[in-house]
Amino acid sequence: MNVLIIHAHPESKSFCSALKDYAINFFISNGHNVKVSDLYLMGFNPVGGINDFTGLLNVDYFKYQLEQVHAHNNNLYVDEIKSEMEKFEWANLIIFNFPLWWFSIPAILKGWVDRVFAMGFAYGAGKGVYEKGFFKDKTAFCCITTGGPENSYGENGRNGDMDKILFH
């Protein structure tokens, strides 16, 4: 199995990072292939925009999603994005490993999603979405650390139900 870990924590000594390291060791010791995108270590730029592309469909008016489709169809992504897309295509199992910050994913991970799960690559342009999406046969899960105890994230917890918090 090919395992891709998308790790989004700035501290290498954190519990979240320890979970990433444990997963790497677990999968390798069980004969699987592992690649890691450690977003902070990579200095991954979370801001999508015109610099994602080596050429544009429309130089007079920038529309991100249309440029994503054009880039996908014409191999016009910059190497930073192309490399992440190739890792994602390679993987059978994807693990998103991150701390819960302000009831969501860290901005660097949101930027990874915006830039890598691009229209034309991951959805849209005839590829479908959700259970009919292009990558529906991949398995993915989230490994999330929080700053609060488990009972804070239940239906009656002070921070709310984790399923509702992460619905998006």
Side-chain angles (χ1 to χ4, degrees), residues 30-89:
N30 284 282
H32 302 291
N33 304 305
V34 177
K35 292 183 181 181
V36 178
S37 289
D38 187 331
L39 302 182
Y40 284 96
L41 187 63
M42 294 164 51
F44 186 82
N45 177 7
V47 180
I50 198 168
N51 293 322
D52 288 355
F53 314 105
T54 60
L56 296 175
L57 175 65
N58 186 343
V59 296
D60 296 320
Y61 184 83
F62 181 74
K63 184 160 181 172
Y64 194 51
Q65 289 180 316
L66 289 180
E67 294 299 342
Q68 287 178 323
V69 173
H70 179 68
H72 177 70
N73 292 337
N74 296 284
N75 194 27
L76 296 174
Y77 279 108
V78 296
D79 289 341
E80 180 180 43
I81 296 173
K82 195 182 302 184
S83 172
E84 293 304 300
M85 289 174 167
E86 289 169 355
K87 287 185 228 176
F88 188 81
E89 287 178 315

Side-chain angles (χ1 to χ4, degrees), residues 14-148:
S14 69
F15 180 62
C16 188
S17 294
L19 291 172
K20 178 238 337 155
D21 295 340
Y22 183 87
I24 292 168
N25 293 330
F26 173 83
F27 286 108
I28 289 174
S29 69
N30 284 282
H32 302 291
N33 304 305
V34 177
K35 292 183 181 181
V36 178
S37 289
D38 187 331
L39 302 182
Y40 284 96
L41 187 63
M42 294 164 51
F44 186 82
N45 177 7
V47 180
I50 198 168
N51 293 322
D52 288 355
F53 314 105
T54 60
L56 296 175
L57 175 65
N58 186 343
V59 296
D60 296 320
Y61 184 83
F62 181 74
K63 184 160 181 172
Y64 194 51
Q65 289 180 316
L66 289 180
E67 294 299 342
Q68 287 178 323
V69 173
H70 179 68
H72 177 70
N73 292 337
N74 296 284
N75 194 27
L76 296 174
Y77 279 108
V78 296
D79 289 341
E80 180 180 43
I81 296 173
K82 195 182 302 184
S83 172
E84 293 304 300
M85 289 174 167
E86 289 169 355
K87 287 185 228 176
F88 188 81
E89 287 178 315
W90 167 86
N92 309 103
L93 171 66
I94 300 93
I95 300 170
F96 294 93
N97 186 59
F98 60 92
L100 189 68
W101 284 355
W102 286 103
F103 305 98
S104 191
I105 61 178
I108 198 167
L109 180 54
K110 174 61 167 81
W112 186 94
V113 170
D114 290 347
R115 295 178 73 207
V116 177
F117 287 172
M119 181 175 255
F121 171 71
Y123 73 98
K127 291 196 169 181
V129 295
Y130 305 119
E131 68 277 358
K132 295 180 183 173
F134 189 68
F135 293 116
K136 66 183 177 296
D137 295 328
K138 293 190 180 288
T139 299
F141 63 88
C142 296
C143 178
I144 306 166
T145 57
T146 67

